[in-house]
Amino acid sequence: MKAIFYLLFLLVPLFATTLTELTHYAMTHSTVMKKSQAQADFSELKRKESNVQQYGEFNLVGDYTHYNTARTLAPLTPTAIGSGVPISTTKDIFYAGLTYAVPLFTGYAQTRQIEISTIAKQMADAKMKLSKEQLVYNIRSLYLSILAQKKILQAQGSYTAALQTLSKQIAYEVELGKKAKIDLFKAQSNAQASQTQVEVLKNNIDITKATLSSLVGKEVKNLSTIKIKVQKPNYSVNRLYGEVSQLAKVEMEEMSLRKANKTIEKSESSKLPQVNFSGFVGKNYGEDLATNEWDDETLWQAGVNVKWNLVDFGKRDLGVQQAKIAKMEATFQKEQTLLDLKKLLTEAVAKIKQSYAEYLGNSTQLRLSQKSENIEEVRYNNDVSTLNDLLLAKGQTQLARAKVIESKYNYQKSKYYLDYLLERGVE
């Protein structure tokens, strides 16, 4: 039986999910990405809609009208009236036909709208890329949080086991009369407090796993470990800032600026004449009152319409001014984005350096705490110090151990955050 359990223990890592597998799965199954993809698809449809509008539209039309007096099926000319040919008249006229209308010249408004829709599609694609980066970073952060909590849980479990062993030892010595019963109560109290912390950590892991599962789009169970190599950081904020011009978030601001320019041009186009073409071909049907037989007439027409708004009391000028203000906002937003990026890069680099320094400091503190714990344990066993001193030393060692684990994973989180800012997270 022990061999079976040992075999299952060895097989658990084989069924664990890696960070790469989770991020790849989330790219297609996460609701965040599905929503982002839907927005990109919508922008593409809007672009196509703007493009096809320049070709006009055909419509199949029909109508029925009843008149109180007889009407002809087609307008009559003087030649037709004097030709002597019987003219069909009816009180009920049906017509069916085909119309076609197309804008010939819109002051380039239609062209500008196509360009605006194209830019909007590009912005949607860039936004989708940023959504992927955000998703990958969030998954990485939660993944590391779970691994860190599991490591701390293991350490807390070992600490609890050590306190329980100490309680048993003290209980035995109390029976022999070597230790006071108050020492047993203190040891048992600390062991119970540590066990409670174990349960808290287990619950925190379950909560974080649930959050990660919701983000990825499937239930996350076992996670593969990640090798973290803590090295002295060597980053230059100025060098990193020199790369931001190629980032999607900066390109989006450039696109917003271009879109604002096109919106201004589109608003200006309303000051130019609008030229439209329309045509119709169809038949009128009706029952001839004279013969009681159905007759029909073929009709067609084509025309060009020109409209030039000369005076609108400043309405178009107001539209242009609104578009120019929107451009100013886009310009300010781009400047602010660049300023924010430099600030965030500075903070990210500082955070990596801080995590590195904390890791070194906590590692040193752990080594010293372990030495102090060993000394206090010897002193307590020789009745030189009290149990409080020993428990304090053990607690400080456990706290230092937890800090080492936390700072190690925080160091990796900080590196992932820098990757997120520089859009390097998506493989």
Side-chain angles (χ1 to χ4, degrees):
M1 182 62 69
K2 290 183 177 179
I4 295 176
F5 281 114
Y6 182 70
L7 179 61
L8 291 175
F9 177 78
L10 291 178
L11 289 176
V12 166
L14 298 179
F15 299 101
T17 306
T18 66
L19 178 57
T20 301
E21 289 172 346
L22 278 184
T23 53
H24 286 173
Y25 184 90
M27 287 298 105
T28 54
H29 295 84
S30 171
T31 54
V32 174
M33 292 313 304
K34 290 179 180 179
K35 181 180 178 181
S36 183
Q37 183 63 56
Q39 292 173 344
D41 293 341
F42 180 80
S43 296
E44 173 63 13
L45 292 175
K46 294 294 289 184
R47 185 193 68 80
K48 290 181 177 179
E49 180 185 18
S50 298
N51 191 54
V52 299
Q53 283 179 350
Q54 63 184 321
Y55 303 117
E57 60 181 28
F58 287 91
N59 290 292
L60 185 65
V61 296
D63 185 51
Y64 161 72
T65 305
H66 174 77
Y67 300 93
N68 65 325
T69 60
R71 303 294 176 95
T72 59
L73 295 177
L76 299 179
T77 63
T79 304
I81 296 174
S83 64
V85 178
I87 299 174
S88 298
T89 59
T90 181
K91 289 185 177 182
D92 299 292
I93 297 181
F94 303 81
Y95 87 79
L98 188 68
T99 65
Y100 175 66
V102 62
L104 298 179
F105 181 71
T106 61
Y108 305 107
Q110 201 168 55
T111 302
R112 299 296 174 257
Q113 181 58 48
I114 293 173
E115 294 170 343
I116 290 172
S117 299
T118 301
I119 294 173
K121 174 60 172 63
Q122 294 171 350
M123 292 178 67
D125 291 339
K127 186 177 180 180
M128 185 172 180
K129 183 178 187 300
L130 293 178
S131 296
K132 288 182 179 180
E133 292 288 345
Q134 179 73 60
L135 179 62
V136 169
Y137 170 70
N138 289 338
I139 291 174
R140 284 177 166 181
S141 181
L142 291 171
Y143 196 99
L144 289 177
S145 294
I146 294 172
L147 293 182
Q149 290 178 88
K150 289 179 69 175
K151 286 288 185 181
I152 295 175
L153 176 61
Q154 291 176 2
Q156 193 71 36
S158 299
Y159 177 58
T160 302
L163 290 177
Q164 291 172 345
T165 300
L166 178 62
S167 297
K168 292 178 181 179
Q169 178 184 346
I170 294 175
Y172 176 71
E173 293 181 348
V174 167
E175 291 180 1
L176 297 178
K178 294 183 178 181
K179 298 293 181 183
K181 205 164 187 179
I182 186 65
D183 284 357
L184 176 60
F185 295 152
K186 290 179 180 179
Q188 290 176 337
S189 175
N190 278 266
Q192 182 57 50
S194 181
Q195 181 60 40
T196 300
Q197 186 61 29
V198 167
E199 298 302 321
V200 171
L201 286 169
K202 287 180 180 180
N203 291 331
N204 288 340
I205 291 173
D206 291 339
I207 293 172
T208 311
K209 278 186 177 181
T211 305
L212 181 59
S213 299
S214 174
L215 192 62
V216 172
K218 72 172 183 177
E219 184 179 2
V220 176
K221 295 182 179 180
N222 298 319
L223 302 181
S224 296
T225 58
I226 296 178
K227 292 183 179 179
I228 300 176
K229 188 175 182 181
V230 181
Q231 295 178 321
K232 184 176 181 180
N234 183 24
Y235 296 103
S236 169
V237 174
N238 291 331
R239 181 180 61 79
L240 295 174
Y241 184 70
E243 303 176 14
V244 301
S245 60
Q246 306 299 322
L247 300 182
K249 54 179 69 71
V250 177
E251 290 178 351
M252 277 191 66
E253 301 302 335
E254 291 282 358
M255 294 174 194
S256 295
L257 198 54
R258 295 205 309 270
K259 184 179 178 181
N261 282 326
K262 296 300 179 182
T263 303
I264 293 175
E265 294 175 5
K266 181 182 176 182
S267 299
E268 293 280 4
S269 66
S270 63
K271 298 180 179 180
L272 297 175
Q274 310 294 305
V275 183
N276 297 283
F277 170 83
S278 62
F280 167 81
V281 59
K283 282 181 175 294
N284 281 357
Y285 299 88
E287 186 179 11
D288 189 353
L289 293 178
T291 63
N292 292 329
E293 294 181 357
W294 282 86
D295 199 358
D296 64 84
E297 290 286 346
T298 300
L299 302 174
W300 68 270
Q301 66 183 49
V304 176
N305 171 265
V306 179
K307 180 182 177 181
W308 195 347
N309 190 323
L310 299 179
V311 179
D312 62 359
F313 302 99
K315 178 181 178 181
R316 288 170 294 183
D317 291 333
L318 291 174
V320 172
Q321 290 301 318
Q322 292 174 15
K324 288 182 178 179
I325 291 175
K327 179 184 176 180
M328 291 174 58
E329 291 178 351
T331 303
F332 297 149
Q333 181 61 41
K334 178 186 175 182
E335 293 175 359
Q336 189 61 50
T337 297
L338 292 173
L339 291 173
D340 290 343
L341 268 174
K342 189 162 190 178
K343 181 198 74 169
L344 292 174
L345 287 173
T346 302
E347 291 176 351
V349 171
K351 189 66 177 177
I352 294 176
K353 293 179 180 179
Q354 178 183 338
S355 300
Y356 176 75
E358 289 177 349
Y359 176 77
L360 293 182
N362 292 332
S363 298
T364 300
Q365 184 179 353
L366 176 59
R367 288 194 297 271
L368 296 175
S369 297
Q370 288 173 332
K371 291 180 179 179
S372 298
E373 180 186 347
N374 294 335
I375 293 173
E376 289 296 338
E377 190 167 0
V378 173
R379 294 182 64 194
Y380 176 73
N381 291 332
N382 292 308
D383 295 326
V384 178
S385 65
T386 65
L387 179 62
N388 287 339
D389 295 329
L390 176 59
L391 292 176
L392 178 61
K394 285 183 174 294
Q396 289 177 337
T397 301
Q398 173 58 19
L399 179 61
R401 184 177 290 108
K403 285 184 176 180
V404 169
I405 296 171
E406 187 177 20
S407 58
K408 180 180 180 180
Y409 282 91
N410 282 341
Y411 170 83
Q412 188 61 41
K413 279 186 184 180
S414 300
K415 292 183 67 177
Y416 282 156
Y417 180 65
L418 183 60
D419 288 341
Y420 162 66
L421 291 179
L422 297 174
E423 298 173 12
R424 298 172 178 174
V426 179
E427 298 176 358

